[in-house]
């Protein structure tokens, strides 16, 4: 079955050099650069904003979902 954490809608938004993850309360959130280095890793709150060090492509993992994002 689907548990509550997977049923809620997770949203990822890019604003400047910030990646904002919402709807991931209590889920693990990790951001990796294209070299595979962890830029951020923590348990998300209702809304989590992650400032990335530079523009470029990052991989955002929320729970068991992975998404590639481009930060300008």
């Amino acid at each position: 079955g689907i548990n509550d954490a997977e049923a809620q809608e997770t949203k990822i938004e890019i604003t400047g050099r910030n990646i904002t993850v919402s709807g991931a309360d209590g889920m693990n959130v990790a951001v990796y650069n294209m070299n595979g280095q962890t830029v951020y890793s923590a348990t998300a709150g209702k809304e989590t904003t992650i400032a990335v060090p530079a523009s470029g492509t990052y991989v955002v993992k929320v729970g068991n979902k992975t998404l590639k994002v481009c930060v300008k």
Side-chain angles (χ1 to χ4, degrees):
I2 297 174
N3 67 29
D4 290 340
E6 290 173 337
Q8 66 190 7
E9 189 180 335
T10 304
K11 218 165 85 173
I12 297 171
E13 292 181 61
I14 311 298
T15 310
R17 286 207 181 143
N18 292 324
I19 300 170
T20 302
V21 179
S22 53
D25 201 5
M27 297 171 80
N28 290 330
V29 174
V31 178
Y32 306 95
N33 64 20
M34 294 315 289
N35 294 327
Q37 297 168 309
T38 304
V39 176
Y40 176 88
S41 181
T43 301
K46 236 176 170 35
E47 187 171 280
T48 304
T49 300
I50 303 134
V52 293
S55 58
T57 304
Y58 292 87
V59 174
V60 181
K61 186 172 184 195
V62 180
N64 62 357
K65 293 181 182 147
T66 305
L67 183 71
K68 194 185 284 187
V69 297
C70 190
V71 177
K72 296 190 188 299

